[in-house]
Amino acid sequence: VKESGTAISMNMPNKYMWNSCSDYFDIPMMNSQYTMETDSVPFLQIVLKGHIPYYAPYANQGFYRQNCILRTVEYGAYPSFIVMGADNSELSGTPLVDYYSLNYVDWENTVIDTYNKVNSVLKQVENAFITEHKVLSSGVVRVTYDNGAVVYVNYNSEEVKTDGISVPALDFVLKRG
């Protein structure tokens, strides 16, 4: 329970609600896309990591691409899915009609694979604070945590070697310190 005595899971809470926030859903995962910006800096995630668990937008609603999963790891965000136990045709005529595919059976393997891949890193930085987020070169990012963990993310289509570590194409590597 947070300082206010009440802990509530919230969807995109404003700063004044952070003391009452136990989980932050749908955290922004993109920058403004202005041409003057060269890199995306996860400022909000750097501030909140280790204080409030936060979750990326639903991966099965357009956020599920390899680059988006890599960004989830880079930003320290937990993946999320919205699913249901009925056929997708059941969405017609409901407030959820804009969601095209929610049937758990259709997404089960993707949910499990995504969880296993992302959890391999995020379980190592649970409750840790981000102490550094640095773009090492085009498409290569290093995120350092206060518990000694260092995450390298490679958005490039070719393997990259940096800091004596090989990071496969479109993948990430965790180095424990």
Side-chain angles (χ1 to χ4, degrees):
V1 175
K2 299 288 183 175
E3 201 174 289
S4 67
T6 303
I8 304 168
S9 296
M10 299 182 192
N11 189 334
M12 298 183 69
N14 291 321
K15 182 183 175 215
Y16 69 89
M17 294 298 295
W18 289 352
N19 277 342
S20 299
C21 184
S22 63
D23 298 279
Y24 185 135
F25 295 106
D26 202 18
I27 196 163
M29 298 294 289
M30 299 295 289
N31 63 359
S32 67
Q33 302 296 308
Y34 291 127
T35 57
M36 67 194 130
E37 295 177 346
T38 58
D39 294 307
S40 179
V41 177
F43 179 76
L44 184 58
Q45 290 82 353
I46 291 170
V47 170
L48 296 180
K49 187 67 180 168
H51 298 287
I52 300 172
Y54 48 82
Y55 299 81
Y58 299 134
N60 57 328
Q61 296 302 306
F63 188 74
Y64 185 77
R65 295 187 320 269
Q66 183 61 22
N67 280 355
C68 294
I69 300 305
L70 293 176
R71 183 159 298 182
T72 300
V73 171
E74 175 190 348
Y75 285 21
Y78 299 106
S80 67
F81 291 83
I82 182 170
V83 296
M84 66 178 187
D87 289 334
N88 293 317
S89 61
E90 300 284 328
L91 296 170
S92 181
T94 73
L96 297 176
V97 70
D98 290 337
Y99 295 105
Y100 304 107
S101 177
L102 301 184
N103 183 280
Y104 179 76
V105 173
D106 297 340
W107 286 97
E108 182 178 12
N109 290 336
T110 302
V111 169
I112 292 168
D113 292 345
T114 301
Y115 171 81
N116 287 335
K117 185 167 181 98
V118 173
N119 188 52
S120 70
V121 169
L122 296 186
K123 70 181 179 184
Q124 302 297 323
V125 297
E126 183 77 23
N127 300 315
F129 303 107
I130 295 174
T131 58
E132 180 186 50
H133 178 274
K134 186 171 184 175
V135 176
L136 301 174
S137 61
S138 181
V140 181
V141 179
R142 180 181 65 211
V143 183
T144 306
Y145 290 85
D146 71 333
N147 68 355
V150 180
V151 179
Y152 294 87
V153 181
N154 180 8
Y155 291 95
N156 298 305
S157 58
E158 295 180 8
E159 180 179 357
V160 171
K161 293 185 189 232
T162 185
D163 294 348
I165 294 180
S166 294
V167 186
L170 297 169
D171 208 350
F172 54 85
V173 170
L174 170 70
K175 178 184 170 193
R176 290 292 302 170

